[in-house]
Amino acid sequence: MRSLDQFAQAKLARLEAGSLRRQLVETTRGEGAWVERNGQRLLSFSCNDYLNLSRHPAVIAAALEATRRHGVGAGASRLITGNHPLLAELEARLARLKGSAACCLFGSGYLANAGLIPALMGEGDLILLDELAHSCLWAGARLSGARVEVFRHNDVAQAASLLAARRPPRGRAMIATDGVFSMDGDLAPLDALADVAEAHEAWLLSDDAHGIGVLNDGHGTAHPRVPLQMGTLSKAVGGYGGYVCASAPVVELLRNRARSFVYSTGLPPGVAAAAIAALDVIERDPAYAALPLAKARAFTVAAGLPLAQSPIVPLVLGEAAAALAASRALEAEGFLVTAIRPPTVPPGTARLRFAFSALQPDEEIARLAALVRRLPAQP
Ligand SMILES: *Cc1c(COP(=O)(O)O)cnc(C)c1O
């Protein structure tokens, strides 16, 4: 189809002109946080495998053992024949870690939010989103058909006034936010949001993708007053998959009505076994789980940046071209720090995003901090 290809080419040309075209670059991971790319060995600050559990011998062994015994795939949706016992075991472990009564696994974190939000919200309801909430919270909110309103980043007072002013009569209301913001590394004020949510009978949803495993002894931003706690197994937990921790009736409803659960195949047994083994490591060794945040803090002190609140540290540079140039300069020095550009972040806030992980050598972090101090000043 000529018109189809022309459409795609024109779109790509516009992205290229704005320094916004993205490319897949083959990258192989080696020992620790080292990677190889274009024949060059680089220390990666762009990987969410914060604890290197994807390469942990016990995690790999668990995945292999479960795969040998049970096969590679689940074979069907869990409601048909894909409900392997390892999945219930993993759900129980996650519920315990998050202090919730129950848990429902999904194929990924993205699928969790795409299923969860429309299962609870619909036309005539109101969803409030933090302006920096992750793309999959937006996707789930839009899919639900509910009215979506946006509050300024971490602005609890604005969330409260929007709830009071915009809630449709008899409509349900939800507040959705990242627990740890994925491109900024700061934390949501969950206590204050819970106050507002409770005062307005709104349901609070927190996305803890970047908290589980690395904050608060591995519990992440787990919070007893947040009734909907979702997250992913593909970052600090080292594997793949998403989850929602909630009360028993909510989880039972998700199993009946979340379309990305009902109509999508269950997680492979090897993936579930790997996640269980990874949670074992996290729970057994809190000192290890604390390393990424400690390294991020040391970096921010050395680089003269605001103290890190999570293993994610942003350095906002403004235009996409500036972020790309800084990323290339660091790559020439042996560091992989991917530039983050719109639409992942708002226009004018392109940045370097440093993700700290347990096995990055401290002397390399110090060298990186010295380089970062010499980058052009922030706008
Ligand atoms: C990565 C991420 C997700 C998506 O998780 P996947 O399991 O990779 O699909 C969801 N929310 C946030 C905040 C994330 O950073």
Side-chain angles (χ1 to χ4, degrees):
M1 289 291 281
R2 245 175 46 134
S3 65
L4 177 59
D5 289 346
Q6 278 167 355
F7 167 79
Q9 276 156 0
K11 278 245 170 190
L12 288 169
R14 272 202 299 284
L15 290 173
E16 184 78 48
S19 296
L20 296 177
R21 182 165 176 178
R22 304 182 186 199
Q23 229 99 43
L24 292 171
V25 185
E26 230 169 65
T27 311
T28 51
R29 296 181 55 199
E31 280 305 302
W34 295 95
V35 301
E36 204 176 302
R37 181 177 258 208
N38 300 324
Q40 199 187 352
R41 186 168 176 261
L42 300 167
L43 187 63
S44 175
F45 287 82
S46 291
C47 190
N48 300 318
D49 185 11
Y50 297 111
L51 301 173
N52 282 78
L53 292 181
S54 79
R55 307 182 64 90
H56 192 288
V59 175
I60 293 173
L64 288 175
E65 156 72 7
T67 304
R68 280 208 190 89
R69 282 183 53 178
H70 308 296
V72 171
S77 162
R78 287 177 64 189
L79 289 166
I80 309 297
T81 56
N83 192 33
H84 197 279
L86 282 167
L87 299 175
E89 185 183 339
L90 176 55
E91 287 174 334
R93 290 291 300 271
L94 286 165
R96 198 175 83 198
L97 186 68
K98 289 290 174 182
S100 66
C103 172
C104 181
L105 287 168
F106 287 81
S108 72
Y110 199 107
L111 287 171
N113 277 333
L116 162 70
I117 300 174
L120 298 176
M121 309 299 285
E123 249 173 77
D125 296 333
L126 173 67
I127 300 176
L128 295 182
L129 284 180
D130 185 288
E131 64 181 334
L132 298 185
H134 189 265
S135 165
C136 59
L137 288 168
W138 290 81
R142 291 214 182 95
L143 261 179
S144 75
R147 174 170 183 170
V148 179
E149 295 279 350
V150 178
F151 59 94
R152 284 183 300 270
H153 179 49
N154 281 349
D155 188 336
V156 179
Q158 195 194 16
S161 62
L162 282 171
L163 259 182
R166 304 283 166 81
R167 184 184 197 138
R170 290 185 306 280
R172 293 160 293 194
M174 171 184 277
I175 304 176
T177 181
D178 291 16
V180 178
F181 285 86
S182 58
M183 296 299 137
D184 294 77
D186 58 341
L187 309 182
L190 290 178
D191 265 318
L193 285 172
D195 288 342
V196 169
E198 285 165 15
H200 292 266
E201 193 56 42
W203 304 334
L204 181 56
L205 161 59
S206 167
D207 178 336
D208 196 38
H210 292 279
I212 186 172
V214 286
L215 296 183
N216 304 322
D217 292 341
H219 298 278
T221 59
H223 196 292
R225 291 168 65 207
V226 178
L228 299 165
Q229 308 195 60
M230 66 73 58
T232 179
L233 304 173
S234 49
K235 288 168 180 157
V237 184
Y240 202 65
Y243 64 84
V244 176
C245 286
S247 68
V250 169
V251 163
E252 197 53 29
L253 178 65
L254 293 181
R255 290 180 178 148
N256 279 271
R257 297 311 293 264
R259 286 190 287 271
S260 57
F261 178 89
V262 176
Y263 300 109
S264 194
T265 302
L267 278 179
V271 170
I276 292 167
L279 293 176
D280 285 341
V281 175
I282 290 166
E283 288 179 4
R284 231 181 11 237
D285 197 349
Y288 183 70
L291 282 175
L293 177 59
K295 286 178 190 275
R297 290 203 163 137
F299 170 79
T300 49
V301 169
L305 297 171
L307 190 67
Q309 298 175 45
S310 75
I312 300 165
V313 175
L315 180 69
V316 177
L317 294 168
E319 294 311 310
L324 284 177
S327 173
R328 275 192 221 105
L330 292 180
E331 187 166 326
E333 294 286 341
F335 297 111
L336 177 59
V337 188
T338 307
I340 307 289
R341 295 169 278 168
T344 305
V345 291
T349 72
R351 66 195 67 189
L352 293 177
R353 172 185 181 273
F354 301 87
F356 289 83
S357 57
L359 300 183
Q360 290 160 342
D362 292 333
E363 59 280 9
E364 289 292 318
I365 292 173
R367 190 165 74 84
L368 178 63
L371 289 167
V372 165
R373 272 187 179 273
R374 293 205 291 273
L375 286 174
Q378 291 177 247

